[in-house]
Amino acid sequence: MSARPRTLGASVLLGLLAAVVTGPTGDSDEPLRAAWDSIADVRIVLFLGLAVALWLVLVLGPRLRGLVAAVTAPPRRRLTAATLTMTARRSVAAAGRRGRTVAVGGGLLAVAVVAPLVVSTAAQQSMVNDIGIYALLALGLNVVVGYAGLLDLGYIAFFAIGAYATAYFSSSTAMPWHAPFVLNPFFVFPIALILAALAGVVLGAPTLRLRGDYLAIVTLGFGEIIHLVANNADGITGGARGAFGVPHLSVHLAGVDYAWGIDPLPYYYLLLVIVVGVMVAFGRLERSRIGRSWAAIREDEIAAEATGVATLRMKLLAFALGASVSGFAGVLFASKQFFNPQSFSLQASFFVVAVVIFGGMGSRLGVVVGAVVLQGLAFYLRDKVQPADRYIYFGAVIVVMMIFRPQGLVPSRRRRREIELSEAGVGAADSLGSATPTVVRP
Amino acid sequence: MGAGFGRVFGGLGASSTSGGGVGSAVPGARRPGPGEDAAADLVVEARDLCLRFGGVTSLDGVSLRQRRGEILAVIGPNGAGKTSLFNCLTGAYRPQHGTVTFWPTPDRPAQLVGRRPHAITRLGVARTFQNIRLFPALTALENVQVGIEMRQRYGPLSAVLGLPSARRAERDGVRRALELLDLVGLAHRAHEVAASLPYGEQRRLEIARALGTGPSLLLLDEPAAGTNPAEKRDLAGLIGRIAATGMSVLLIEHDMGLVMSLATSVAVLNFGRVIACGTPAEVQRDPAVIEAYLGVGDDGPDAGGATGKELR
């Protein structure tokens, strides 16, 4: 009971903080003046209103959820019959779930198809360059972080490898260093895929024996190395200037002649097809023996090893798969727009991790939604706040999210269970991979 | 089941009966005497295992043999080295000295020391853990599937493309997992999350998962720990049923009732050494065992320590 006034207080405080943060910039002579100005402003009404709304959601949310669940959830019967009838029932339940998945997926797909037609060209550009590419990146990182439970903080390095491979193979002018022949960017896709996967294996083979934090540090270093090489190897990559004039994608095959150009829409639909394809592919992977071994590794690596799962090889597979998706995205990115090493900074790596965690680790739809929301937020804030301030908002959104919904926007069922269990003190998987398991004896 | 009944040498290296068994535990144990015919169908033989952690000696020249189809129980006071022995057999620890030979089939011996745990499981040695280690957020069915599927060969590409071979393997895996769940009496729990099962059922689920890996030797680390009498009875029945299929079972257990009723032979560990071995009845009568383990004296653990030293 006493939690309610406290929650209200916290919400109001949050509102005041938001008012101060978004208010006028302060002056070093009168440091508190700006804070006072923003609190005394009319806008405070808006912020306090939001705070109360937040409080209402927090207090009423659980009840509403219970109500909603009671209405929508099918009655759950205890399964006591023999094995056969049970599997039959389960397949019915699975079919029902599948039907719902198809319906929701179809609806979202329709929205995704129509959405770019009703927004401005700038928004379309953002939907391709930011949302689409990052959705693809997040799907790839999801395999590493969400499925295998490995924290990779240098993930953007593989993206850079894909992008620079494109510049190397598909243009003789983009970088000082280039291939002796020029390939259509489409042919670079498989090359970049393999290069990135190889880089993943080369990085992973010696480091995947490390656990949790150590792996994160190593990958962080790898990301920085690639970033710095791209930035400093002037004679090879063009250095900080970046790579200019990578050709757009084009198809000249069997009478079909099509070239992607400045217009973002064709790129958008290409990306949409790729993202949906990757989602379907990874969904099948997750439900296969491979996905189950990843889940086993994530939840209890020692038990997985004792159950015969070749843990090192499976982790390497996850790493290579994630890396190859990243390299693939790099090709798309490079052929779409100009890029320089700034695109592959540490911040970009963190951003992908944030998208995955925000959207819901282990959930394909979740990470795509995460990319849409976070990059959408970035686009929305673009003209409204100073670029340097933008990360304050990201930070705030993610902090709030982690407090109230640590499993992410659209969590996967398995992952949600794991988080619930680890909060109850059972099981190994915390929010990031496997720690020493502690099984509580009743 | 009957393979080891009544025969004198049951579980141990070198000579068989309790008094002489002590000799066999000395580091550098000789080859088995002539009494142990080479035709004895062994499933696993540990020879002279030494395991030290810094200054602590956990195993001090342990030799142990188990015949195919036998239920061999390893007993001993806490800290005697039972779980260390298991960990050496399954590759979780690497002993500083000694060998472990395992016969998946009688004509194909394999050396276990130095292999990674998953490779040992692949050879056919499955285990459970003293503290249950299920995959807590997976369902009971999925837990067992993981064990079964590690023998399947289809790769990521077949899974993504949904090739018929992958689909068939998947179906076979589910069917086999349901059979195993049925065997351990958990068929009705197949789709419940492992962590939500009662303790005794988690124990049985862990056994089902181990069986899923298709072992020829099953290592059970205190399967009855923390279970109530009814669960214990069920468990004894289950282990008996499993052994009746010809499975070799190596069992660590504290519950003497369970050990005496199930095991075809018993080995007693104390302070990292085998102090006795033989049939349950023989071991029960053995004065060294009575002194060291069953604890007739009331001098506490120190007495046990002294006994262990004297026995050397």
Side-chain angles (χ1 to χ4, degrees):
Chain A
M1 284 292 127
S2 70
R4 283 186 190 172
R6 215 162 56 198
T7 321
L8 180 60
S11 304
V12 168
L13 216 61
L14 212 65
L16 289 180
L17 190 70
V20 171
V21 168
T22 54
T25 310
D27 186 349
S28 55
D29 296 334
E30 283 179 291
L32 292 180
R33 178 69 185 275
W36 176 247
D37 279 355
S38 35
I39 288 177
D41 198 73
V42 194
R43 294 182 316 141
I44 196 69
V45 178
L46 172 71
F47 284 104
L48 288 181
L50 282 175
V52 171
L54 177 68
W55 178 70
L56 281 176
V57 168
L58 290 179
V59 171
L60 297 179
R63 293 184 184 190
L64 284 178
R65 197 183 306 159
L67 211 65
V68 170
V71 173
T72 56
R76 197 174 137 74
R77 267 168 296 179
R78 284 192 84 73
L79 303 165
T80 46
T83 310
L84 272 178
T85 36
M86 182 199 60
T87 38
R89 278 195 202 164
R90 183 180 181 241
S91 62
V92 169
R97 206 161 51 224
R98 187 168 210 150
R100 212 169 56 202
T101 311
V102 169
V104 170
L108 289 176
L109 193 62
V111 170
V113 169
V114 176
L117 303 175
V118 297
V119 298
S120 67
T121 313
Q124 285 177 355
Q125 289 286 6
S126 171
M127 285 172 90
V128 176
N129 296 348
D130 304 328
I131 295 178
I133 295 282
Y134 271 79
L136 199 52
L137 284 175
L139 278 171
L141 186 63
N142 183 40
V143 174
V144 183
V145 175
Y147 292 169
L150 307 163
L151 183 52
D152 182 352
L153 292 180
Y155 184 67
I156 213 74
F158 307 113
F159 184 56
I161 287 171
Y164 278 106
T166 316
Y168 175 79
F169 283 110
S170 67
S171 159
S172 55
T173 53
M175 296 196 303
W177 189 51
H178 55 83
F181 46 84
V182 170
L183 288 177
N184 181 308
F186 263 110
F187 293 109
V188 185
F189 275 124
I191 298 176
L193 207 83
I194 290 165
L195 277 180
L198 273 180
V201 170
V202 168
L203 172 67
T207 56
L208 282 176
R209 288 163 208 277
L210 302 175
R211 275 165 190 261
D213 315 348
Y214 304 102
L215 180 68
I217 300 292
V218 171
T219 51
L220 189 75
F222 178 72
E224 265 311 79
I225 288 172
I226 297 285
H227 172 58
L228 288 176
V229 166
N231 201 47
N232 297 339
D234 261 338
I236 297 174
T237 62
R241 289 190 309 282
F244 282 99
V246 175
H248 286 287
L249 293 174
S250 56
V251 179
H252 313 282
L253 197 71
V256 180
D257 267 299
Y258 187 78
W260 278 259
I262 306 291
D263 185 10
L265 270 188
Y267 268 105
Y268 177 80
Y269 289 113
L270 178 66
L271 255 169
L272 187 62
V273 169
I274 292 170
V275 164
V276 170
V278 169
M279 284 174 77
V280 170
F282 283 171
R284 287 183 159 186
L285 208 56
E286 192 196 357
R287 288 188 297 273
S288 74
R289 64 179 270 260
I290 299 185
R292 269 186 294 274
S293 356
W294 282 334
I297 292 170
R298 198 171 67 208
E299 292 188 18
D300 190 336
E301 193 169 339
I302 290 173
E305 180 81 15
T307 313
V309 176
T311 52
L312 207 61
R313 195 189 310 165
M314 296 312 292
K315 288 201 273 185
L316 210 52
L317 175 66
F319 223 61
L321 266 176
S324 59
V325 171
S326 188
F328 193 91
V331 181
L332 274 169
F333 183 70
S335 68
K336 167 71 176 66
Q337 62 164 160
F338 154 77
F339 65 91
N340 64 19
Q342 213 46 50
S343 318
F344 314 116
S345 63
L346 204 56
Q347 219 159 41
S349 265
F350 287 154
F351 197 84
V352 188
V353 175
V355 164
V356 171
I357 293 175
F358 183 86
M361 272 183 285
S363 157
R364 290 159 292 139
L365 181 61
V367 299
V368 173
V369 170
V372 172
V373 171
L374 283 188
Q375 288 287 16
L377 180 68
F379 180 75
Y380 174 77
L381 293 175
R382 188 170 290 177
D383 311 320
K384 299 197 170 49
V385 301
Q386 292 173 8
D389 286 359
R390 210 184 296 163
Y391 284 90
I392 294 178
Y393 292 85
F394 284 144
V397 166
I398 289 169
V399 165
V400 169
M401 186 73 181
M402 286 303 104
I403 291 173
F404 296 113
R405 205 174 160 82
Q407 67 272 39
L409 269 184
V410 190
S412 74
R413 273 188 308 153
R414 243 180 226 167
R415 207 65 212 201
R416 186 171 52 209
R417 258 184 253 150
E418 281 169 20
I419 288 178
E420 282 166 7
L421 287 172
S422 71
E423 277 177 356
V426 183
D430 57 8
S431 49
L432 282 176
S434 46
T436 318
T438 48
V439 177
V440 178
R441 284 197 196 199
Chain B
M1 173 129 189
F5 255 156
R7 305 264 289 264
V8 186
F9 101 65
L12 268 251
S15 50
S16 50
T17 40
S18 39
V22 178
S24 75
V26 176
R30 280 89 35 202
R31 291 204 61 77
E36 287 119 25
D37 45 323
D41 185 10
L42 292 183
V43 64
V44 69
E45 174 175 26
R47 208 172 256 279
D48 207 14
L49 289 178
C50 294
L51 178 71
R52 283 179 293 274
F53 297 99
V56 180
T57 300
S58 186
L59 295 178
D60 188 7
V62 169
S63 295
L64 192 76
R65 351 168 62 189
Q66 178 175 13
R67 273 187 322 222
R68 196 171 299 279
E70 183 179 56
I71 301 183
L72 169 60
V74 177
I75 62 173
N78 286 326
K82 304 181 298 294
T83 299
S84 293
L85 175 65
F86 262 36
N87 284 338
C88 285
L89 294 182
T90 55
Y93 293 160
R94 188 171 184 165
Q96 279 89 0
H97 185 261
T99 58
V100 178
T101 316
F102 169 64
W103 288 264
T105 54
D107 52 337
R108 207 159 50 89
Q111 186 49 238
L112 296 191
V113 173
R115 282 183 202 262
R116 305 220 339 126
H118 72 86
I120 291 177
T121 307
R122 227 162 259 252
L123 279 173
V125 180
R127 74 171 294 178
T128 64
F129 291 88
Q130 189 173 349
N131 305 312
I132 303 173
R133 299 189 84 140
L134 291 165
F135 308 124
L138 299 189
T139 63
L141 181 69
E142 287 168 331
N143 264 278
V144 183
Q145 272 179 285
V146 171
I148 291 166
E149 286 166 343
M150 67 99 188
R151 290 206 186 276
Q152 296 178 352
R153 297 253 57 109
Y154 74 88
L157 203 62
S158 341
V160 165
L161 297 177
L163 294 186
S165 62
R167 284 165 187 264
R168 204 178 319 117
E170 174 91 23
R171 268 200 310 276
D172 289 350
V174 171
R175 191 181 322 121
R176 176 89 186 107
L178 286 170
E179 282 169 16
L180 285 172
L181 284 173
D182 198 38
L183 175 74
V184 301
L186 288 177
H188 61 294
R189 299 280 206 185
H191 299 293
E192 290 185 34
V193 177
S196 71
L197 298 179
Y199 191 72
E201 295 190 350
Q202 291 195 13
R203 283 259 175 232
R204 282 188 275 152
L205 177 57
E206 213 187 7
I207 294 175
R209 185 181 69 185
L211 288 175
T213 65
S216 38
L217 173 62
L218 180 63
L219 274 60
L220 302 175
D221 196 346
E222 295 196 28
T227 55
N228 63 37
E231 289 172 334
K232 211 162 276 182
R233 231 178 5 257
D234 287 352
L235 204 71
L238 173 62
I239 296 172
R241 281 204 302 282
I242 292 168
T245 64
M247 178 81 66
S248 316
V249 179
L250 184 54
L251 177 76
I252 293 180
E253 189 47 69
H254 274 307
D255 188 282
M256 279 305 129
L258 199 71
V259 168
M260 295 307 160
S261 66
L262 269 178
T264 37
S265 46
V266 177
V268 187
L269 278 182
N270 197 16
F271 290 92
R273 296 168 159 275
V274 178
I275 60 165
C277 60
T279 64
E282 283 165 353
V283 166
Q284 231 167 349
R285 283 195 306 269
D286 191 304
V289 176
I290 292 169
E291 212 172 336
Y293 181 58
L294 298 174
V296 226
D298 44 3
D299 322 50
D302 283 350
T307 314
K309 289 215 173 66
E310 280 158 22
L311 277 167
R312 204 180 327 167

